[in-house]
Amino acid sequence: MTNKVFLAALAILALAGNARAQIVYANDFEVTTGSFTAGGLISHPKTADALGSTSKFLGLFSDNTATTLTLTGLTPGNVYDLTLDLLVKATWDGNALVVGPDVWRVRADGNTLVNTTFSNVTGSNQSFSSNGYIGGPGNYAPGTSASVINNAPNINNRYSIYKFDKIALPQLEFTPATNTVVLSFEGQGLQGVSDESWALDNVVVTGRGNAIPEPGTLVLAGLGALAFLRRRRR
Ligand SMILES: [Ca+2]
Ligand SMILES: [Ca+2]
C-alpha cells in the first residue's frame, strides 16, 4: 500500500468515526403550547400535569385524536430512532374482549412501529412487556415493565408510565423515503378521556449520523477504491 493510498483510507475511516447521532426533535413539554412546533408539529398541543408528577406531559388523549408529529429536513434513507415516555391513565383494560382491547400504537408514514395493549385493571392482562413487543399475543399482568405505577384509591386517578427506549423497543426506528415523515400516536378502543386516556413526554427523535454513510459502507467503499487503484497501477 502506498502512502498516498493509506492516507486516503485513513481519511475515509476518520470520516466514518465522525458519524454521530444527531437530535432532530426533542420535547419535554414543560413549556407553553406555543413552543410545541419547534422542530416539528404536534396536531393537538395541550399540556396535562401528570397527576401530581413534577413533569408535564402532552395530553390527555383518548380515541380519535391521532396525535401527529411531522418532521421535515430529514435525510432520505437515513435511520432515525424514536424514544418517548407514555402515560397510561385510568381504567385501561388491556386484552379484555368486552371492554377492550385497549390499544396504543405508533406509526411512521403509516408503517406500524408499535401496536400493543395496556392495563391498569386487576384481572385484565396487557400485551406490553419489556421484551420488544410489536403485535404478538402478549399476556402480561397490568403494569408489566412500567417505570411508574400509581395505584390511587380512585381508579380514575390511577396511571402508569412506560419508557419507550431502544432497550425496551428496538423497533422504534424508521427510515424515511423523503425528507419528511409523519409520526402518528394513536389509541384505539378507549372509552373517553375521563375513563381511559394517554399522554406523551420526553419525545426525542435522533438520526444516526445524518448525511454520512454508515461506517461499514465507507470501509467497503474504501476497499473498493484501493482495489481500483491497484488495478490501475498494473
Ligand atoms: Ca415533561
Ligand atoms: Ca376499555
Side-chain angles (χ1 to χ4, degrees), residues 14-223:
L15 189 62
N18 281 337
R20 60 180 60 170
Q22 179 188 3
I23 294 174
V24 297
Y25 183 85
N27 202 331
D28 64 6
F29 306 109
E30 296 305 302
V31 293
T32 58
T33 57
S35 68
F36 284 174
T37 55
L41 175 66
I42 287 184
S43 61
H44 300 279
K46 52 185 176 179
T47 52
D49 189 280
L51 310 163
S53 161
T54 54
S55 183
K56 287 181 178 175
F57 284 65
L58 179 72
L60 298 165
F61 306 114
S62 191
D63 261 14
N64 303 317
T65 50
T67 297
T68 56
L69 172 61
T70 301
L71 299 172
T72 59
L74 304 181
T75 303
N78 194 29
V79 180
Y80 292 83
D81 296 306
L82 168 68
T83 60
L84 59 91
D85 296 344
L86 175 68
L87 184 145
V88 174
K89 181 175 179 269
T91 61
W92 284 58
D93 301 295
N95 297 333
L97 294 180
V98 177
V99 287
D102 292 344
V103 177
W104 194 82
R105 69 170 70 92
V106 182
R107 297 192 291 171
D109 282 344
N111 298 315
T112 301
L113 307 183
V114 172
N115 184 35
T116 189
T117 68
F118 292 98
S119 174
N120 288 334
V121 177
T122 303
S124 291
N125 281 354
Q126 66 183 38
S127 56
F128 186 83
S129 76
S130 63
N131 63 1
Y133 175 84
I134 190 173
N139 191 30
Y140 302 92
T144 293
S145 301
S147 61
V148 174
I149 295 178
N150 180 301
N151 278 319
N154 181 340
I155 197 168
N156 282 326
N157 291 336
R158 292 180 184 177
Y159 64 87
S160 46
I161 298 174
Y162 297 83
K163 291 200 170 299
F164 280 32
D165 56 28
K166 292 302 289 183
I167 298 172
L169 292 163
Q171 70 270 27
L172 272 179
E173 63 177 52
F174 57 92
T175 306
T178 68
N179 64 2
T180 300
V181 72
V182 178
L183 300 177
S184 181
F185 309 92
E186 307 163 5
Q188 181 182 322
L190 307 181
Q191 294 165 269
V193 165
S194 63
D195 196 15
E196 297 167 345
S197 61
W198 54 275
L200 299 173
D201 200 7
N202 301 321
V203 177
V204 178
V205 178
T206 310
R208 297 184 192 173
N210 282 7
I212 300 174
E214 292 285 316
T217 309
L218 280 167
V219 170
L220 283 177
L223 291 174

